[in-house]
Amino acid sequence: MIAQMAKSALAVLLAGLCFGAGLPALFTVGIALWSRATLPPGPDGTARRNAVALAGAVLCFAIVLAAVVIGVLWITRKSLDHYLGISVFG
């Protein structure tokens, strides 16, 4: 009984860290990578980009965006099913 409660509490703690602090931290990493993606102009004045930093930033933003969309769909799943007949998560 107590072991099951401790396991459940740990699962809630991990979910809270991932979604409560993890997503803003991931967004912060994306912002930092985005700022490092733009390098100073080359000697001829052309703009230069750090492709690895840009790809990392886009990946961070995509993960955060996907989590937000999934969260909104999860919260509204019963309304979507009731009013529109759309069953999102089965």
Side-chain angles (χ1 to χ4, degrees):
M1 175 91 173
I2 293 177
Q4 180 64 27
M5 288 173 43
K7 184 178 177 183
S8 298
L10 182 62
V12 169
L13 176 68
L14 290 176
L17 286 175
C18 288
F19 298 117
L23 288 177
L26 190 61
F27 185 77
T28 303
V29 169
I31 293 290
L33 288 172
W34 186 270
S35 69
R36 293 183 183 162
T38 304
L39 300 174
D44 57 353
T46 58
R48 298 184 308 160
R49 306 287 279 176
N50 182 345
V52 175
L54 184 62
V58 169
L59 179 65
C60 289
F61 295 145
I63 291 171
V64 171
L65 180 66
V68 169
V69 168
I70 289 170
V72 169
L73 288 174
W74 181 262
I75 291 169
T76 61
R77 72 186 184 279
K78 290 186 180 181
S79 294
L80 290 172
D81 187 33
H82 179 75
Y83 292 110
L84 303 175
I86 300 172
S87 179
V88 181
F89 294 103

